[in-house]
Amino acid sequence: MTPAIETRALQKRFGRQTVLDGVDLSVEPGEIFALLGPNGAGKTTLVNILTTLVRPDDGSAHVAGHDVVRSPVAVAQRIALTGQAAAVDEVLTARENLVLFGRLSGLSRREAPGRADELLDRFDLADAANGRVGTFSGGMRRRLDLALSVVVRPQVLFLDEPTTGLDTRSRRELWRIIVSLADAGTTVFLTTQYLEEADRLADRIAVLHDGRIAALGTAEQLKARVGGTSVELRGGDGTLLRELPTDGSVSSLRRAIDEIDAAGLDGDVVLRRPSLDDVFLSLTDRTHQEDLA
Ligand SMILES: Nc1ncnc2c1ncn2[C@@H]1O[C@H](COP(=O)(O)OP(=O)(O)O)[C@@H](O)[C@H]1O
Ligand SMILES: [Mg+2]
């Protein structure tokens, strides 16, 4: 199957700053793929290249089977990028925006309202359908923005930090919608600074660091790279008394517990799997990088 997104040795410089320094990626159709990196890592630059807004300096990128430099129109017809819908008209209602956008995207006079109502429903905007967008909360705007970008179903949907600045509840609602879009067959490429977001949403995660993909895999695989399960002994108030690394096997867990036992320490034994935060810290900590790269 043709990958939904494929990049080879992708490079981008701004002046003397090399932002992307050989990015190799392959995203499968239907996958939710998260590009994880801190502010300034180059996430938006990569999204802009993949959505034909910025030209790479070197290397190649194909999206939905088309070369982003040679066939930008073919790519643009098959994708959507949220955050772009600065096309949202504040004076119009949510429903009017969706109908208008549908008409501009080529839906017929009959199709557009139907699609608008369907999306209002799915994106939890039915109650706000006739409210002016100017009065919407941040979470509602983000949902409308997402709804606008899927009026005509894209093959690949790009979400550049879709939940940045949202409260927990709005973030969870957006997550649910993103998953439902992927379930319906849309490939989702999202960028995030939130480890939890990548962990919760993505089938696979790529960590962008120093212009390259420093790590790639499922959340479980990334966690496994950082180390196995550790056995912790915690006091009654939750303070960490002992932490013993293990490889996750029964025998190593037993050894760790025996060691705690032998030390005559009293407390609660807790098993801890490494978090994505641990992964990220170890990947961006230069002293540990060689073992992981
Ligand atoms: N048009 C531009 N001109 C000059 N520098 C840019 C431009 N766009 C991005 N950069 C620089 O490239 C780096 C990566 O930016 P960006 O891709 O926006 O990162 P992220 O989205 O991960 O926060 C930053 O140092 C930023 O200042
Ligand atoms: Mg960005």
Side-chain angles (χ1 to χ4, degrees), residues 28-269:
E28 289 159 31
E31 189 173 25
I32 300 184
F33 192 93
L35 183 70
L36 182 65
N39 217 350
K43 301 181 298 297
T44 297
T45 301
L46 181 54
V47 167
N48 285 346
I49 290 172
L50 296 175
T51 56
T52 76
L53 300 175
V54 165
R55 281 177 73 103
D57 293 320
D58 215 337
S60 67
H62 287 76
V63 175
H66 296 273
D67 187 301
V68 295
V69 175
R70 286 196 210 114
S71 314
V73 176
V75 171
Q77 284 169 344
R78 290 165 175 79
I79 63 166
L81 168 63
T82 56
Q84 242 193 343
V88 178
D89 191 319
E90 305 262 317
V91 179
L92 297 182
T93 68
R95 189 167 188 276
E96 286 165 345
N97 266 292
L98 282 164
V99 172
L100 181 66
F101 206 79
R103 292 286 284 144
L104 291 172
S105 307
L107 296 185
S108 73
R109 196 184 294 272
R110 269 201 312 160
E111 286 167 325
R115 181 72 178 144
D117 289 331
E118 185 190 329
L119 289 169
L120 287 164
D121 215 39
R122 261 177 69 199
F123 287 57
D124 257 336
L125 290 167
D127 292 340
N130 298 315
R132 285 189 186 188
V133 176
T135 65
F136 279 19
S137 70
M140 289 159 77
R141 273 167 189 270
R142 217 65 75 87
R143 294 204 298 280
L144 178 61
D145 193 30
L146 198 51
L148 285 166
S149 54
V150 298
V151 164
V152 176
R153 288 179 193 82
Q155 278 182 45
V156 187
L157 176 62
F158 291 89
L159 306 171
D160 193 6
E161 299 201 22
T163 66
T164 295
L166 293 183
D167 59 41
T168 307
R169 185 163 162 270
S170 302
R171 178 171 298 162
R172 279 170 204 282
E173 272 171 17
L174 216 61
W175 286 351
R176 181 185 59 73
I177 291 165
I178 292 167
V179 169
S180 78
L181 291 171
D183 285 345
T186 302
T187 306
V188 177
F189 184 95
L190 67 95
T191 73
T192 184
Q193 301 187 37
Y194 301 117
L195 307 153
E196 190 201 355
E197 181 157 281
D199 195 359
R200 288 283 292 271
L201 279 182
D203 297 308
R204 288 190 303 151
I205 300 164
V207 180
L208 186 61
H209 178 60
D210 273 352
R212 293 166 190 260
I213 303 304
L216 175 71
T218 62
E220 283 305 308
Q221 285 168 341
L222 293 187
K223 288 175 190 172
R225 281 176 79 166
V226 172
T229 307
S230 58
V231 173
E232 295 180 353
L233 185 74
R234 292 194 173 267
D237 57 355
T239 50
L240 183 63
L241 302 174
R242 268 292 175 88
E243 184 179 6
L244 296 161
T246 78
D247 62 10
S249 69
V250 173
S251 59
S252 73
L253 291 174
R254 182 175 293 135
R255 262 197 308 279
I257 290 169
D258 283 348
E259 198 176 321
I260 290 170
D261 204 20
L265 294 167
D266 199 20
D268 295 324
V269 172

